[in-house]
Amino acid sequence: MARTGRPREFDRDKALDAALTLFWTQGYEPTSLNQLKACMGNISPASFYAAFGSKEALFREVVQRYLETYGQVTAPLWGETLAPRDAIEQTLRRSARMQTTRSHPTGCLIVLGASNCSPENQSVQTLLAAERARTRKGMKACVDRAVASGELPPSPATETLPTLFTTFLHGMACEARDGDRAKKLDAAITTLMQIWDSLAARLKSVSSHQ
């Protein structure tokens, strides 16, 4: 007698990784439940809801997995053993490499995952906006440390640096998705860091004449 009603077994971690790739490639709203269930091993609706609860709950879990893996490229921002300049430069260069690697979707899930959402999915946009805000705070913390240590001058130009670096970091998502390679972004980062060096040199020049 054939067995009936037995739920399909699946590897939850593999299913989560598959969902991450799909959300990263397409974004939250364009990704349908049917696509998710198919890419996660053709799991049944009952298995999907039992394991993840809802599409949004799955996406939140995917974002957390992304932050714990690919998103670790921004970890230097909170490593106070690094010099502030090194922390920012490492973050930018590591992110450039990660976002342009062809072994997974290009760009950044935190930037591209919910760039356009209808009002009913505002909570998803808010989730990713909060993560981007955290990165801004990390950039600002590095600049503040540099000012406090006397590496950078407390000036209006210095105050713009967190916005400048964060805008570049988030903007790389579009450049990577459009086909830019790490080498090209690396060269741009070298130029960008010269702004920091110019401000630091100006402070040294002023100090030497006092």
Side-chain angles (χ1 to χ4, degrees):
M1 182 176 178
R3 290 177 297 176
T4 60
R6 185 171 180 171
R8 177 187 295 273
E9 294 180 1
F10 70 100
D11 185 315
R12 194 180 193 283
D13 284 335
K14 286 184 179 179
L16 196 58
D17 286 337
L20 192 161
T21 298
L22 188 60
F23 277 130
W24 194 350
T25 301
Q26 298 186 170
Y28 180 77
E29 279 206 350
T31 300
S32 70
L33 278 174
N34 284 339
Q35 287 176 318
L36 286 167
K37 288 182 288 187
C39 83
M40 296 164 79
N42 290 314
I43 63 174
S44 68
S47 294
F48 176 88
Y49 289 112
F52 302 105
S54 67
K55 177 183 171 182
E56 181 176 335
L58 170 63
F59 184 73
R60 288 178 178 275
E61 194 169 341
V62 157
V63 168
Q64 189 58 39
R65 194 175 191 87
Y66 178 90
L67 292 173
E68 292 170 355
T69 53
Y70 304 102
Q72 286 299 300
V73 292
T74 62
L77 295 178
W78 293 276
E80 294 195 4
T81 57
L82 289 172
R85 186 192 185 284
D86 291 342
I88 290 175
E89 184 174 15
Q90 283 189 29
T91 292
L92 294 175
R93 293 195 190 281
R94 288 170 57 173
S95 186
R97 287 193 295 273
M98 184 279 289
Q99 293 196 51
T100 55
T101 296
R102 296 307 199 260
S103 60
H104 55 66
T106 54
C108 171
L109 175 68
I110 304 303
V111 175
L112 302 173
S115 54
N116 289 304
C117 278
S118 51
E120 58 265 30
N121 290 318
Q122 181 60 46
S123 59
V124 172
Q125 283 188 304
T126 300
L127 170 69
L128 298 189
E131 290 301 330
R132 294 193 295 271
R134 183 171 178 270
T135 300
R136 291 187 191 95
K137 288 179 182 177
M139 291 289 188
K140 186 176 186 302
C142 288
V143 172
D144 287 347
R145 280 202 295 129
V147 172
S149 68
E151 182 181 345
L152 289 176
S155 68
T158 300
E159 290 176 4
T160 68
L161 289 180
T163 299
L164 180 67
F165 291 130
T166 305
T167 300
F168 186 93
L169 176 66
H170 292 158
M172 280 197 291
C174 294
E175 298 304 304
R177 185 59 61 92
D178 286 347
D180 272 5
R181 299 285 182 163
K183 184 176 181 181
K184 184 176 180 180
L185 293 175
D186 252 344
I189 292 165
T190 298
T191 301
L192 181 65
M193 296 310 299
Q194 290 172 3
I195 298 173
W196 180 295
D197 296 336
S198 176
L199 290 169
R202 192 181 309 169
L203 177 60
K204 288 181 180 179
S205 178
V206 170
S207 298
S208 66
H209 287 88
Q210 290 179 346

mmCIF file of all heavy atoms in Angstrom, residues 12-28 31 36 39-40 52 58-71 98 104-105 107-110 113 177:
data_model
loop_
_atom_site.group_PDB
_atom_site.id
_atom_site.type_symbol
_atom_site.label_atom_id
_atom_site.label_comp_id
_atom_site.label_asym_id
_atom_site.label_seq_id
_atom_site.Cartn_x
_atom_site.Cartn_y
_atom_site.Cartn_z
ATOM 1 N N ARG A 12 17.067 22.525 5.639
ATOM 2 C CA ARG A 12 16.661 23.904 5.927
ATOM 3 C C ARG A 12 17.760 24.911 5.570
ATOM 4 O O ARG A 12 17.486 25.976 5.019
ATOM 5 C CB ARG A 12 16.298 24.046 7.405
ATOM 6 C CG ARG A 12 15.538 25.337 7.732
ATOM 7 C CD ARG A 12 15.199 25.413 9.207
ATOM 8 N NE ARG A 12 14.228 26.463 9.478
ATOM 9 C CZ ARG A 12 14.532 27.753 9.522
ATOM 10 N NH1 ARG A 12 15.777 28.145 9.318
ATOM 11 N NH2 ARG A 12 13.587 28.652 9.754
ATOM 12 N N ASP A 13 19.007 24.571 5.875
ATOM 13 C CA ASP A 13 20.111 25.490 5.569
ATOM 14 C C ASP A 13 20.269 25.693 4.064
ATOM 15 O O ASP A 13 20.472 26.815 3.599
ATOM 16 C CB ASP A 13 21.419 24.978 6.163
ATOM 17 C CG ASP A 13 21.499 25.201 7.666
ATOM 18 O OD1 ASP A 13 20.822 26.128 8.160
ATOM 19 O OD2 ASP A 13 22.234 24.456 8.336
ATOM 20 N N LYS A 14 20.175 24.598 3.310
ATOM 21 C CA LYS A 14 20.287 24.711 1.853
ATOM 22 C C LYS A 14 19.115 25.514 1.289
ATOM 23 O O LYS A 14 19.281 26.310 0.363
ATOM 24 C CB LYS A 14 20.336 23.328 1.203
ATOM 25 C CG LYS A 14 21.661 22.615 1.393
ATOM 26 C CD LYS A 14 21.675 21.290 0.644
ATOM 27 C CE LYS A 14 23.018 20.576 0.801
ATOM 28 N NZ LYS A 14 23.032 19.283 0.088
ATOM 29 N N ALA A 15 17.947 25.304 1.856
ATOM 30 C CA ALA A 15 16.766 26.043 1.412
ATOM 31 C C ALA A 15 16.935 27.533 1.683
ATOM 32 O O ALA A 15 16.587 28.383 0.860
ATOM 33 C CB ALA A 15 15.519 25.509 2.117
ATOM 34 N N LEU A 16 17.482 27.849 2.834
ATOM 35 C CA LEU A 16 17.699 29.249 3.200
ATOM 36 C C LEU A 16 18.724 29.900 2.275
ATOM 37 O O LEU A 16 18.549 31.044 1.834
ATOM 38 C CB LEU A 16 18.168 29.325 4.658
ATOM 39 C CG LEU A 16 18.102 30.687 5.351
ATOM 40 C CD1 LEU A 16 16.684 31.256 5.341
ATOM 41 C CD2 LEU A 16 18.616 30.560 6.790
ATOM 42 N N ASP A 17 19.784 29.170 1.953
ATOM 43 C CA ASP A 17 20.794 29.698 1.029
ATOM 44 C C ASP A 17 20.201 29.930 -0.358
ATOM 45 O O ASP A 17 20.531 30.913 -1.034
ATOM 46 C CB ASP A 17 21.986 28.741 0.934
ATOM 47 C CG ASP A 17 22.865 28.788 2.177
ATOM 48 O OD1 ASP A 17 22.834 29.812 2.884
ATOM 49 O OD2 ASP A 17 23.579 27.795 2.436
ATOM 50 N N ALA A 18 19.337 29.025 -0.786
ATOM 51 C CA ALA A 18 18.695 29.182 -2.090
ATOM 52 C C ALA A 18 17.787 30.405 -2.100
ATOM 53 O O ALA A 18 17.759 31.163 -3.082
ATOM 54 C CB ALA A 18 17.890 27.928 -2.436
ATOM 55 N N ALA A 19 17.065 30.619 -1.014
ATOM 56 C CA ALA A 19 16.198 31.792 -0.909
ATOM 57 C C ALA A 19 17.022 33.065 -0.896
ATOM 58 O O ALA A 19 16.649 34.079 -1.503
ATOM 59 C CB ALA A 19 15.347 31.696 0.353
ATOM 60 N N LEU A 20 18.166 33.030 -0.213
ATOM 61 C CA LEU A 20 19.053 34.198 -0.184
ATOM 62 C C LEU A 20 19.475 34.576 -1.599
ATOM 63 O O LEU A 20 19.414 35.756 -1.992
ATOM 64 C CB LEU A 20 20.280 33.889 0.680
ATOM 65 C CG LEU A 20 21.202 35.049 1.079
ATOM 66 C CD1 LEU A 20 22.065 34.652 2.284
ATOM 67 C CD2 LEU A 20 22.104 35.498 -0.057
ATOM 68 N N THR A 21 19.902 33.588 -2.363
ATOM 69 C CA THR A 21 20.338 33.852 -3.742
ATOM 70 C C THR A 21 19.211 34.439 -4.578
ATOM 71 O O THR A 21 19.422 35.391 -5.349
ATOM 72 C CB THR A 21 20.855 32.554 -4.387
ATOM 73 O OG1 THR A 21 21.992 32.089 -3.655
ATOM 74 C CG2 THR A 21 21.249 32.795 -5.841
ATOM 75 N N LEU A 22 18.002 33.920 -4.427
ATOM 76 C CA LEU A 22 16.873 34.402 -5.218
ATOM 77 C C LEU A 22 16.490 35.830 -4.825
ATOM 78 O O LEU A 22 16.294 36.685 -5.691
ATOM 79 C CB LEU A 22 15.686 33.464 -5.054
ATOM 80 C CG LEU A 22 14.485 33.742 -5.969
ATOM 81 C CD1 LEU A 22 14.877 33.644 -7.440
ATOM 82 C CD2 LEU A 22 13.344 32.768 -5.655
ATOM 83 N N PHE A 23 16.392 36.100 -3.535
ATOM 84 C CA PHE A 23 16.069 37.449 -3.075
ATOM 85 C C PHE A 23 17.158 38.438 -3.505
ATOM 86 O O PHE A 23 16.878 39.567 -3.889
ATOM 87 C CB PHE A 23 15.941 37.482 -1.559
ATOM 88 C CG PHE A 23 14.606 37.052 -1.023
ATOM 89 C CD1 PHE A 23 14.517 36.112 -0.001
ATOM 90 C CD2 PHE A 23 13.424 37.603 -1.519
ATOM 91 C CE1 PHE A 23 13.285 35.715 0.522
ATOM 92 C CE2 PHE A 23 12.180 37.217 -1.004
ATOM 93 C CZ PHE A 23 12.115 36.278 0.014
ATOM 94 N N TRP A 24 18.409 38.022 -3.425
ATOM 95 C CA TRP A 24 19.541 38.877 -3.792
ATOM 96 C C TRP A 24 19.499 39.194 -5.282
ATOM 97 O O TRP A 24 19.798 40.308 -5.708
ATOM 98 C CB TRP A 24 20.828 38.144 -3.421
ATOM 99 C CG TRP A 24 22.098 38.955 -3.417
ATOM 100 C CD1 TRP A 24 22.291 40.223 -3.880
ATOM 101 C CD2 TRP A 24 23.366 38.524 -2.914
ATOM 102 N NE1 TRP A 24 23.594 40.603 -3.703
ATOM 103 C CE2 TRP A 24 24.274 39.575 -3.104
ATOM 104 C CE3 TRP A 24 23.811 37.338 -2.320
ATOM 105 C CZ2 TRP A 24 25.627 39.487 -2.722
ATOM 106 C CZ3 TRP A 24 25.139 37.260 -1.938
ATOM 107 C CH2 TRP A 24 26.040 38.317 -2.138
ATOM 108 N N THR A 25 19.102 38.227 -6.078
ATOM 109 C CA THR A 25 19.047 38.412 -7.530
ATOM 110 C C THR A 25 17.866 39.278 -7.957
ATOM 111 O O THR A 25 18.014 40.180 -8.792
ATOM 112 C CB THR A 25 18.933 37.043 -8.231
ATOM 113 O OG1 THR A 25 20.063 36.241 -7.882
ATOM 114 C CG2 THR A 25 18.864 37.209 -9.748
ATOM 115 N N GLN A 26 16.695 39.021 -7.391
ATOM 116 C CA GLN A 26 15.467 39.644 -7.877
ATOM 117 C C GLN A 26 14.920 40.764 -7.000
ATOM 118 O O GLN A 26 14.164 41.615 -7.483
ATOM 119 C CB GLN A 26 14.368 38.585 -8.016
ATOM 120 C CG GLN A 26 14.699 37.497 -9.011
ATOM 121 C CD GLN A 26 13.552 36.536 -9.246
ATOM 122 O OE1 GLN A 26 13.590 35.715 -10.152
ATOM 123 N NE2 GLN A 26 12.491 36.613 -8.450
ATOM 124 N N GLY A 27 15.248 40.759 -5.707
ATOM 125 C CA GLY A 27 14.625 41.697 -4.792
ATOM 126 C C GLY A 27 13.406 41.072 -4.136
ATOM 127 O O GLY A 27 12.921 40.013 -4.556
ATOM 128 N N TYR A 28 12.900 41.731 -3.104
ATOM 129 C CA TYR A 28 11.834 41.149 -2.296
ATOM 130 C C TYR A 28 10.510 41.025 -3.050
ATOM 131 O O TYR A 28 9.949 39.936 -3.168
ATOM 132 C CB TYR A 28 11.623 41.985 -1.032
ATOM 133 C CG TYR A 28 10.529 41.444 -0.143
ATOM 134 C CD1 TYR A 28 10.765 40.340 0.663
ATOM 135 C CD2 TYR A 28 9.257 42.014 -0.121
ATOM 136 C CE1 TYR A 28 9.762 39.812 1.475
ATOM 137 C CE2 TYR A 28 8.248 41.495 0.687
ATOM 138 C CZ TYR A 28 8.512 40.402 1.482
ATOM 139 O OH TYR A 28 7.519 39.885 2.275
ATOM 140 N N THR A 31 9.993 38.593 -6.133
ATOM 141 C CA THR A 31 10.152 37.177 -5.832
ATOM 142 C C THR A 31 8.847 36.604 -5.287
ATOM 143 O O THR A 31 8.353 37.047 -4.256
ATOM 144 C CB THR A 31 11.286 36.968 -4.811
ATOM 145 O OG1 THR A 31 12.507 37.470 -5.361
ATOM 146 C CG2 THR A 31 11.449 35.503 -4.473
ATOM 147 N N LEU A 36 10.070 30.856 -4.692
ATOM 148 C CA LEU A 36 10.801 30.476 -3.483
ATOM 149 C C LEU A 36 10.676 28.992 -3.200
ATOM 150 O O LEU A 36 11.674 28.304 -2.954
ATOM 151 C CB LEU A 36 10.287 31.282 -2.283
ATOM 152 C CG LEU A 36 10.710 32.756 -2.231
ATOM 153 C CD1 LEU A 36 9.895 33.518 -1.192
ATOM 154 C CD2 LEU A 36 12.207 32.863 -1.913
ATOM 155 N N CYS A 39 12.761 26.992 -5.759
ATOM 156 C CA CYS A 39 14.215 27.052 -5.611
ATOM 157 C C CYS A 39 14.684 26.388 -4.320
ATOM 158 O O CYS A 39 15.833 25.980 -4.196
ATOM 159 C CB CYS A 39 14.716 28.498 -5.677
ATOM 160 S SG CYS A 39 14.615 29.423 -4.126
ATOM 161 N N MET A 40 13.779 26.271 -3.354
ATOM 162 C CA MET A 40 14.125 25.680 -2.059
ATOM 163 C C MET A 40 13.893 24.169 -2.055
ATOM 164 O O MET A 40 13.816 23.549 -0.999
ATOM 165 C CB MET A 40 13.321 26.365 -0.954
ATOM 166 C CG MET A 40 13.670 27.844 -0.801
ATOM 167 S SD MET A 40 12.454 28.803 0.153
ATOM 168 C CE MET A 40 12.895 28.355 1.815
ATOM 169 N N PHE A 52 9.248 28.467 7.925
ATOM 170 C CA PHE A 52 9.627 29.882 7.856
ATOM 171 C C PHE A 52 8.521 30.857 8.240
ATOM 172 O O PHE A 52 8.784 32.037 8.445
ATOM 173 C CB PHE A 52 10.139 30.206 6.447
ATOM 174 C CG PHE A 52 11.312 29.352 6.047
ATOM 175 C CD1 PHE A 52 11.159 28.308 5.148
ATOM 176 C CD2 PHE A 52 12.569 29.568 6.586
ATOM 177 C CE1 PHE A 52 12.234 27.508 4.789
ATOM 178 C CE2 PHE A 52 13.659 28.781 6.237
ATOM 179 C CZ PHE A 52 13.488 27.744 5.336
ATOM 180 N N LEU A 58 10.764 34.834 6.213
ATOM 181 C CA LEU A 58 11.882 34.206 5.509
ATOM 182 C C LEU A 58 12.892 35.265 5.083
ATOM 183 O O LEU A 58 14.107 35.085 5.247
ATOM 184 C CB LEU A 58 11.366 33.437 4.288
ATOM 185 C CG LEU A 58 12.442 32.935 3.318
ATOM 186 C CD1 LEU A 58 13.367 31.927 4.002
ATOM 187 C CD2 LEU A 58 11.778 32.292 2.085
ATOM 188 N N PHE A 59 12.404 36.371 4.543
ATOM 189 C CA PHE A 59 13.310 37.426 4.090
ATOM 190 C C PHE A 59 14.125 37.975 5.258
ATOM 191 O O PHE A 59 15.332 38.217 5.125
ATOM 192 C CB PHE A 59 12.521 38.558 3.429
ATOM 193 C CG PHE A 59 13.401 39.629 2.846
ATOM 194 C CD1 PHE A 59 14.123 39.402 1.689
ATOM 195 C CD2 PHE A 59 13.514 40.875 3.458
ATOM 196 C CE1 PHE A 59 14.939 40.392 1.142
ATOM 197 C CE2 PHE A 59 14.320 41.862 2.934
ATOM 198 C CZ PHE A 59 15.034 41.620 1.767
ATOM 199 N N ARG A 60 13.487 38.159 6.398
ATOM 200 C CA ARG A 60 14.213 38.659 7.574
ATOM 201 C C ARG A 60 15.313 37.674 7.986
ATOM 202 O O ARG A 60 16.413 38.081 8.368
ATOM 203 C CB ARG A 60 13.243 38.902 8.730
ATOM 204 C CG ARG A 60 12.348 40.116 8.512
ATOM 205 C CD ARG A 60 11.352 40.331 9.632
ATOM 206 N NE ARG A 60 10.565 41.522 9.395
ATOM 207 C CZ ARG A 60 10.946 42.759 9.727
ATOM 208 N NH1 ARG A 60 12.089 42.947 10.363
ATOM 209 N NH2 ARG A 60 10.174 43.802 9.455
ATOM 210 N N GLU A 61 15.017 36.394 7.879
ATOM 211 C CA GLU A 61 16.024 35.381 8.204
ATOM 212 C C GLU A 61 17.143 35.386 7.171
ATOM 213 O O GLU A 61 18.327 35.228 7.511
ATOM 214 C CB GLU A 61 15.361 34.007 8.286
ATOM 215 C CG GLU A 61 16.237 32.957 8.934
ATOM 216 C CD GLU A 61 15.507 31.667 9.255
ATOM 217 O OE1 GLU A 61 14.252 31.676 9.315
ATOM 218 O OE2 GLU A 61 16.193 30.649 9.460
ATOM 219 N N VAL A 62 16.781 35.594 5.919
ATOM 220 C CA VAL A 62 17.769 35.685 4.844
ATOM 221 C C VAL A 62 18.695 36.880 5.077
ATOM 222 O O VAL A 62 19.918 36.780 4.913
ATOM 223 C CB VAL A 62 17.063 35.803 3.475
ATOM 224 C CG1 VAL A 62 17.975 36.438 2.435
ATOM 225 C CG2 VAL A 62 16.605 34.427 3.001
ATOM 226 N N VAL A 63 18.126 38.020 5.447
ATOM 227 C CA VAL A 63 18.936 39.215 5.702
ATOM 228 C C VAL A 63 19.925 38.956 6.832
ATOM 229 O O VAL A 63 21.103 39.326 6.746
ATOM 230 C CB VAL A 63 18.029 40.421 6.028
ATOM 231 C CG1 VAL A 63 18.857 41.585 6.585
ATOM 232 C CG2 VAL A 63 17.276 40.865 4.781
ATOM 233 N N GLN A 64 19.463 38.291 7.887
ATOM 234 C CA GLN A 64 20.356 37.979 8.995
ATOM 235 C C GLN A 64 21.488 37.063 8.552
ATOM 236 O O GLN A 64 22.652 37.238 8.938
ATOM 237 C CB GLN A 64 19.569 37.328 10.137
ATOM 238 C CG GLN A 64 20.367 37.161 11.427
ATOM 239 C CD GLN A 64 20.914 38.464 11.969
ATOM 240 O OE1 GLN A 64 20.253 39.511 11.923
ATOM 241 N NE2 GLN A 64 22.138 38.428 12.489
ATOM 242 N N ARG A 65 21.154 36.082 7.714
ATOM 243 C CA ARG A 65 22.188 35.158 7.193
ATOM 244 C C ARG A 65 23.186 35.930 6.325
ATOM 245 O O ARG A 65 24.400 35.677 6.395
ATOM 246 C CB ARG A 65 21.521 34.049 6.379
ATOM 247 C CG ARG A 65 22.439 32.857 6.081
ATOM 248 C CD ARG A 65 21.625 31.788 5.383
ATOM 249 N NE ARG A 65 22.309 30.526 5.264
ATOM 250 C CZ ARG A 65 22.307 29.560 6.188
ATOM 251 N NH1 ARG A 65 21.671 29.755 7.331
ATOM 252 N NH2 ARG A 65 22.930 28.413 5.992
ATOM 253 N N TYR A 66 22.693 36.846 5.522
ATOM 254 C CA TYR A 66 23.561 37.662 4.675
ATOM 255 C C TYR A 66 24.509 38.492 5.535
ATOM 256 O O TYR A 66 25.716 38.575 5.269
ATOM 257 C CB TYR A 66 22.697 38.577 3.798
ATOM 258 C CG TYR A 66 23.473 39.507 2.905
ATOM 259 C CD1 TYR A 66 23.843 39.126 1.618
ATOM 260 C CD2 TYR A 66 23.830 40.788 3.324
ATOM 261 C CE1 TYR A 66 24.551 39.972 0.788
ATOM 262 C CE2 TYR A 66 24.533 41.647 2.503
ATOM 263 C CZ TYR A 66 24.889 41.247 1.236
ATOM 264 O OH TYR A 66 25.591 42.091 0.418
ATOM 265 N N LEU A 67 23.983 39.121 6.581
ATOM 266 C CA LEU A 67 24.802 39.968 7.452
ATOM 267 C C LEU A 67 25.882 39.159 8.158
ATOM 268 O O LEU A 67 26.992 39.656 8.398
ATOM 269 C CB LEU A 67 23.916 40.664 8.491
ATOM 270 C CG LEU A 67 22.945 41.707 7.944
ATOM 271 C CD1 LEU A 67 22.006 42.185 9.051
ATOM 272 C CD2 LEU A 67 23.693 42.890 7.346
ATOM 273 N N GLU A 68 25.572 37.904 8.475
ATOM 274 C CA GLU A 68 26.522 37.055 9.196
ATOM 275 C C GLU A 68 27.567 36.434 8.269
ATOM 276 O O GLU A 68 28.550 35.861 8.749
ATOM 277 C CB GLU A 68 25.770 35.944 9.934
ATOM 278 C CG GLU A 68 24.917 36.466 11.089
ATOM 279 C CD GLU A 68 23.993 35.400 11.669
ATOM 280 O OE1 GLU A 68 23.950 34.277 11.089
ATOM 281 O OE2 GLU A 68 23.323 35.683 12.670
ATOM 282 N N THR A 69 27.358 36.560 6.966
ATOM 283 C CA THR A 69 28.287 35.967 5.997
ATOM 284 C C THR A 69 28.859 37.062 5.083
ATOM 285 O O THR A 69 29.858 37.692 5.422
ATOM 286 C CB THR A 69 27.586 34.874 5.183
ATOM 287 O OG1 THR A 69 26.375 35.404 4.603
ATOM 288 C CG2 THR A 69 27.226 33.690 6.061
ATOM 289 N N TYR A 70 28.196 37.318 3.976
ATOM 290 C CA TYR A 70 28.680 38.311 3.016
ATOM 291 C C TYR A 70 28.778 39.702 3.638
ATOM 292 O O TYR A 70 29.696 40.480 3.326
ATOM 293 C CB TYR A 70 27.758 38.356 1.795
ATOM 294 C CG TYR A 70 27.597 37.029 1.113
ATOM 295 C CD1 TYR A 70 26.451 36.258 1.302
ATOM 296 C CD2 TYR A 70 28.597 36.518 0.287
ATOM 297 C CE1 TYR A 70 26.295 35.022 0.686
ATOM 298 C CE2 TYR A 70 28.452 35.291 -0.341
ATOM 299 C CZ TYR A 70 27.303 34.544 -0.136
ATOM 300 O OH TYR A 70 27.164 33.320 -0.749
ATOM 301 N N GLY A 71 27.848 40.029 4.507
ATOM 302 C CA GLY A 71 27.825 41.365 5.109
ATOM 303 C C GLY A 71 28.952 41.643 6.075
ATOM 304 O O GLY A 71 29.128 42.784 6.517
ATOM 305 N N MET A 98 33.613 41.617 -2.691
ATOM 306 C CA MET A 98 32.435 40.778 -2.458
ATOM 307 C C MET A 98 31.337 41.070 -3.477
ATOM 308 O O MET A 98 30.737 40.158 -4.056
ATOM 309 C CB MET A 98 31.908 41.010 -1.036
ATOM 310 C CG MET A 98 30.742 40.113 -0.633
ATOM 311 S SD MET A 98 29.106 40.662 -1.219
ATOM 312 C CE MET A 98 28.829 42.111 -0.191
ATOM 313 N N HIS A 104 28.286 34.427 -6.763
ATOM 314 C CA HIS A 104 26.973 34.711 -6.178
ATOM 315 C C HIS A 104 26.429 35.955 -6.863
ATOM 316 O O HIS A 104 27.139 36.583 -7.667
ATOM 317 C CB HIS A 104 27.089 34.907 -4.657
ATOM 318 C CG HIS A 104 28.086 35.956 -4.241
ATOM 319 N ND1 HIS A 104 27.928 37.312 -4.514
ATOM 320 C CD2 HIS A 104 29.265 35.845 -3.578
ATOM 321 C CE1 HIS A 104 28.946 37.989 -4.033
ATOM 322 N NE2 HIS A 104 29.772 37.129 -3.470
ATOM 323 N N PRO A 105 25.196 36.355 -6.620
ATOM 324 C CA PRO A 105 24.668 37.548 -7.267
ATOM 325 C C PRO A 105 25.544 38.776 -6.974
ATOM 326 O O PRO A 105 26.114 38.886 -5.886
ATOM 327 C CB PRO A 105 23.281 37.707 -6.646
ATOM 328 C CG PRO A 105 22.897 36.321 -6.237
ATOM 329 C CD PRO A 105 24.171 35.671 -5.800
ATOM 330 N N GLY A 107 26.416 42.926 -6.505
ATOM 331 C CA GLY A 107 25.772 43.993 -5.754
ATOM 332 C C GLY A 107 25.595 43.624 -4.297
ATOM 333 O O GLY A 107 26.214 42.681 -3.794
ATOM 334 N N CYS A 108 24.731 44.358 -3.623
ATOM 335 C CA CYS A 108 24.525 44.197 -2.183
ATOM 336 C C CYS A 108 23.048 44.006 -1.875
ATOM 337 O O CYS A 108 22.216 44.821 -2.277
ATOM 338 C CB CYS A 108 25.050 45.447 -1.458
ATOM 339 S SG CYS A 108 24.646 45.537 0.291
ATOM 340 N N LEU A 109 22.718 42.934 -1.170
ATOM 341 C CA LEU A 109 21.326 42.655 -0.826
ATOM 342 C C LEU A 109 20.727 43.782 0.015
ATOM 343 O O LEU A 109 19.558 44.131 -0.148
ATOM 344 C CB LEU A 109 21.235 41.335 -0.054
ATOM 345 C CG LEU A 109 19.850 40.966 0.484
ATOM 346 C CD1 LEU A 109 18.888 40.650 -0.662
ATOM 347 C CD2 LEU A 109 19.935 39.779 1.440
ATOM 348 N N ILE A 110 21.522 44.369 0.902
ATOM 349 C CA ILE A 110 21.006 45.399 1.797
ATOM 350 C C ILE A 110 20.623 46.661 1.024
ATOM 351 O O ILE A 110 19.742 47.412 1.428
ATOM 352 C CB ILE A 110 22.046 45.731 2.892
ATOM 353 C CG1 ILE A 110 22.444 44.456 3.660
ATOM 354 C CG2 ILE A 110 21.524 46.782 3.848
ATOM 355 C CD1 ILE A 110 21.274 43.727 4.299
ATOM 356 N N GLY A 113 17.881 44.863 -2.199
ATOM 357 C CA GLY A 113 16.843 43.888 -1.872
ATOM 358 C C GLY A 113 15.432 44.418 -1.803
ATOM 359 O O GLY A 113 14.476 43.657 -1.982
ATOM 360 N N ARG A 177 26.332 45.648 -10.066
ATOM 361 C CA ARG A 177 25.223 45.020 -10.791
ATOM 362 C C ARG A 177 25.300 45.360 -12.278
ATOM 363 O O ARG A 177 24.886 44.552 -13.125
ATOM 364 C CB ARG A 177 23.895 45.493 -10.186
ATOM 365 C CG ARG A 177 22.641 44.839 -10.737
ATOM 366 C CD ARG A 177 22.591 43.336 -10.572
ATOM 367 N NE ARG A 177 22.624 42.831 -9.201
ATOM 368 C CZ ARG A 177 21.560 42.571 -8.452
ATOM 369 N NH1 ARG A 177 20.347 42.798 -8.937
ATOM 370 N NH2 ARG A 177 21.693 42.069 -7.249
#
